[in-house]
Amino acid sequence: MDLDVDGVGQAVGTGAVPAGPRIDDLLVRAHEHAARHREGAVADYIPILADADPEAFGLCVADVEGGLHERGDTRTAFSIQSISKAFVYALLSEAFGHERVLEVVGVNNTGLAFDSVVAIELNDGHPMNPMVNAGALATTALMPGDTAQELWDAVRDGLSRFAGRALEVDHEVYRCEAATNHRNRAIAQLLESYGRIERDPLVVVDVYTRQCALRVDARDLAVMGATLADGGVNPVTGERVVSADVCRDALAVLAASGLYERSGEWLFEIGLPGKSGVAGGLVTVAPGKAGIGAYAPRLDAAGNSVRGQIATAYLSRALGLNVFASDPHVPGGKP
Ligand code: GLU
């Protein structure tokens, strides 16, 4: 996909993001620039997602000082879907620790679709990474809680702390997906057959389906991303949600596998960890600086928001967020 950034100069940024008025100005431009794009299609494999307004488009930057910068439909609610995987993974890492999560869930790419069954078979039942459905189901299964209710409470409360408000399930989305998620049930049962899930796999799928149906908006995603950018402290509520080490680990996983099969191209163009979901949400994290939340439901062939990617690419360049960009060191200070 052409991310349409040829005319946008690559700034190199260190330290904080630029002050408010400059971000607000760039946000307007990034939104206008991406709004011209009408490529892609709204997801329909979960039938109710097809009802989304294809023109909806919200863009929000939350900086680590708690400042929120918004443009467009930032208060339009949609289901978080796969983006939840990133935050449940961070919560599990907090509970389980670096080594154990690395061993049990893994961090390597499958090179196959997010809902691949073949990937599980090829890897002796190992779920491979937490951003594919096998890894996400294994992650949810390992969350603390003896009963289904306790498991769900741990997931929902944790994601709510990232957002800084109590997130609610979109019951229509939940019901629709619960009636059609045969493939996820098959994946969970396959993982159980390999001894990779120790709870009732159908309970795990049910909690995972609810987690994917949590309602968020672009502003929530920006705040959730800013919490990962801020060493695990939500910059709006001031609450510590996870440790700084957990943020570092979660962001490394997102950099490697956050945008489905386009993760390499995304990193190449945007140079930041991110995670997309099939309802059209996209969260991007500039470590130490800000979170970017986008919502625009038309998706590319891999399932990533088209306008969300283009607007984020614009902001990454214009704000100097790409973690791989540098300028030569000038001895003695600035030229
Ligand atoms: N709930 C969706 C599924 O498991 C999430 C897919 C996605 O956003 O990638 O199929």
Side-chain angles (χ1 to χ4, degrees), residues 47-118:
I48 196 167
L49 297 183
D51 295 346
D53 172 8
E55 285 302 326
F57 182 23
L59 190 59
C60 179
V61 175
D63 63 49
V64 292
E65 290 184 1
L68 293 177
H69 310 270
E70 303 182 46
R71 185 73 183 168
D73 304 316
T74 55
R75 308 293 168 109
T76 300
F78 55 93
S79 51
I80 189 169
Q81 296 297 342
S82 260
I83 300 169
S84 64
K85 294 169 177 169
F87 297 94
V88 178
Y89 178 68
L91 294 167
L92 182 70
S93 299
E94 182 79 15
F96 246 48
H98 179 92
E99 288 304 325
R100 187 123 184 260
V101 174
L102 176 63
E103 181 195 318
V104 179
V105 186
V107 295
N108 285 323
N109 257 308
T110 64
L112 293 165
F114 72 98
D115 58 354
S116 174
V117 170
V118 172

Side-chain angles (χ1 to χ4, degrees), residues 97-167:
H98 179 92
E99 288 304 325
R100 187 123 184 260
V101 174
L102 176 63
E103 181 195 318
V104 179
V105 186
V107 295
N108 285 323
N109 257 308
T110 64
L112 293 165
F114 72 98
D115 58 354
S116 174
V117 170
V118 172
I120 305 172
E121 289 293 322
L122 289 176
N123 292 291
D124 201 23
H126 195 279
M128 294 306 283
N129 77 67
M131 299 304 132
V132 293
N133 284 11
L137 288 161
T139 301
T140 297
L142 289 165
M143 284 289 285
D146 292 335
T147 63
Q149 184 63 46
E150 285 171 9
L151 180 61
W152 168 237
D153 289 345
V155 168
R156 196 184 91 142
D157 294 351
L159 293 193
S160 296
R161 283 190 289 133
F162 272 109
R165 70 181 185 95
L167 299 178

Side-chain angles (χ1 to χ4, degrees), residues 26 76 119 136 158 246 277 283 311 319 324:
L26 287 172
T76 300
V246 161
V283 65
L319 287 168
F324 303 111

Side-chain angles (χ1 to χ4, degrees), residues 45-46 49 79-85 114-115 131-133 136-137 173 177 181 183-184 187 208-213 260 275-281 299 302-304:
Y45 83 102
I46 303 170
L49 297 183
S79 51
I80 189 169
Q81 296 297 342
S82 260
I83 300 169
S84 64
K85 294 169 177 169
F114 72 98
D115 58 354
M131 299 304 132
V132 293
N133 284 11
L137 288 161
V173 171
E177 187 166 357
N181 62 359
R183 197 173 178 88
N184 285 341
I187 291 172
Y208 168 79
T209 306
R210 284 174 203 275
Q211 135 195 345
C212 288
Y260 307 107
K275 182 74 198 98
S276 57
V278 287
L299 310 178
N304 305 303

